Amino acid sequence: MRSIWNGAISFGLVSIPIKLVNATESHAVSFRQIHAEDGGRIRYRKVCELEDREVTQSEIGKAYEDADGSMIPITDEDLAHLPIPTAKTIEIVAFVPADRIDPLQMDAAYYLAASGAPAAKPYTLLREALKRSNRVAIAKFALRGRERLGMLRVVGDAIAMHGLLWPDEVRAPEGVAPDTNVTVRDQELDLADALMDTLGEIDLGDLHDEYREALEEVVAAKAAGEAPPESPEPASPGKVLDLMAALENSVRAARESRGEGQPAEAEVRALPRRGTPSRATPKETGGKKSTSTAKKTAAKKTASGEKKPTASARKTTAKTTAKKTASGEKAASATKKTAAKKTPSRRHTA
């Protein structure tokens, strides 16, 4: 890897010659500007305003624009002799726990490579000291025309440096959080915890840029004179009215996507209340039917199946009923006496 800066790490009285190498690279698909009518390239030319001509890169220098618009030239030699110790040195100023660094301050990442054999011993010493202390080093360095803040930490067998924003460059989150009072129930937090547990952890190495892959497919199809692939219509999300239902559905969908599936459905029965017989227990039936049940059944049959008798039929029926009642009362009296005598023996037998 090509180095972008050469200097040294200042570790107390120890100096470690190093080379600064970019630790990241961009794989983004880049585009050129064209004239939409004929496809011609749109280019930016660097033109000198005084001479009204295009100049080459070797003719271009740096200057500071003063308040009145005048230009003050600044050369590379001027920058190389800045009166600060960090011009060519990564100066370690403190060692702190890693959790003291706010991720909002994180900027570009670099690898620090030992420059030559003499740097191997002090480089290894700093690396092992960082490992054993479980801390990171806070340093100041100058790069690309400005002094920067950095954090040194161990990555494998190498030392990496993350550029940090200065504390006054991080904006406070004012006006970002909701300004309304919201109450979150314990049940909702439990479902959110279940969703996080279901999603679980993931190997970051398995993640990739799907947008870039889709963009490359479109470019390949256009280059081959084919129609670009069509994207499926996204499902229109409905308005979420019930947060609990949305969380439950999210947990279910997460489990299905991870291949966990759903547990086998079981029959759910309501438990009986204490002191109340379960509905599943059949009632004990005896030989006799309830009098009220018999009356209801008879009433239903009369209402549905029997016709209303005529007046003459009612008179005849009344006379017959009177005769039967008289004779029936005598029979009933005799039956009661007989039943009274038999009842004690039956109870004894039972």
Side-chain angles (χ1 to χ4, degrees), residues 52-333:
D52 193 21
R53 69 175 182 86
E54 186 177 355
V55 296
T56 62
Q57 185 64 35
S58 61
E59 299 177 89
I60 299 175
K62 300 182 182 70
Y64 174 80
E65 185 175 3
D66 205 352
D68 59 359
S70 60
M71 297 294 176
I72 304 174
I74 302 294
T75 65
D76 292 339
E77 186 177 356
D78 295 332
L79 296 176
H81 293 85
L82 289 175
I84 56 174
T86 57
K88 281 293 181 179
T89 303
I90 299 174
E91 183 184 9
I92 295 178
V93 297
F95 292 90
V96 300
D99 57 8
R100 287 271 304 275
I101 306 301
D102 188 345
L104 286 174
Q105 289 185 256
M106 294 288 189
D107 202 356
Y110 309 93
Y111 287 132
L112 303 180
S115 181
K121 182 67 178 287
Y123 185 97
T124 304
L125 172 64
L126 176 59
R127 183 191 66 197
E128 296 303 314
L130 289 173
K131 277 184 182 181
R132 191 168 69 172
S133 66
N134 290 322
R135 288 183 290 180
V136 297
I138 303 301
K140 296 169 69 176
F141 66 102
L143 181 65
R144 295 182 180 132
R146 54 172 293 199
E147 188 174 53
R148 302 167 186 262
L149 196 62
M151 179 190 74
L152 278 64
R153 69 184 184 95
V154 178
V155 177
D157 291 332
I159 298 175
M161 182 174 69
H162 296 267
L164 298 179
L165 299 175
W166 295 100
D168 59 357
E169 292 180 317
V170 179
R171 300 171 63 183
E174 296 178 358
V176 177
D179 56 357
T180 57
N181 294 327
V182 178
T183 302
V184 179
R185 297 179 294 169
D186 290 339
Q187 295 88 338
E188 293 167 340
L189 285 174
D190 291 341
L191 279 174
D193 289 341
L195 178 57
M196 289 189 291
D197 291 339
T198 303
L199 293 175
E201 298 182 359
I202 191 172
D203 184 1
L204 295 180
D206 295 335
L207 300 178
H208 57 279
D209 189 350
E210 296 181 2
Y211 181 87
R212 176 174 58 87
E213 293 178 354
L215 191 57
E216 289 173 348
E217 290 180 6
V218 171
V219 173
K222 296 279 285 185
E226 302 173 356
E230 296 183 0
S231 61
E233 290 292 334
S236 57
K239 187 177 180 181
V240 178
L241 300 178
D242 187 350
L243 180 58
M244 290 288 289
L247 287 170
E248 290 173 352
N249 292 336
S250 299
V251 172
R252 187 180 303 111
R255 286 175 178 168
E256 291 176 354
S257 66
R258 296 175 71 89
E260 295 180 8
Q262 296 295 325
E265 295 185 0
E267 183 181 359
V268 179
R269 295 182 181 180
L271 294 175
R273 297 180 180 177
R274 293 184 177 179
T276 306
S278 173
R279 292 184 178 179
T281 305
K283 294 182 179 179
E284 294 183 1
T285 56
K288 295 183 180 180
K289 293 185 178 179
S290 172
T291 306
S292 59
T293 306
K295 288 181 179 179
K296 290 179 181 178
T297 305
K300 289 181 181 179
K301 288 183 179 180
T302 303
S304 59
E306 297 180 358
K307 296 181 180 180
K308 190 176 181 181
T310 59
S312 58
R314 283 199 298 270
K315 290 180 181 180
T316 304
T317 304
K319 291 179 181 180
T320 306
T321 303
K323 291 179 181 180
K324 289 182 178 180
T325 300
S327 59
E329 288 177 354
K330 295 178 181 180
S333 178

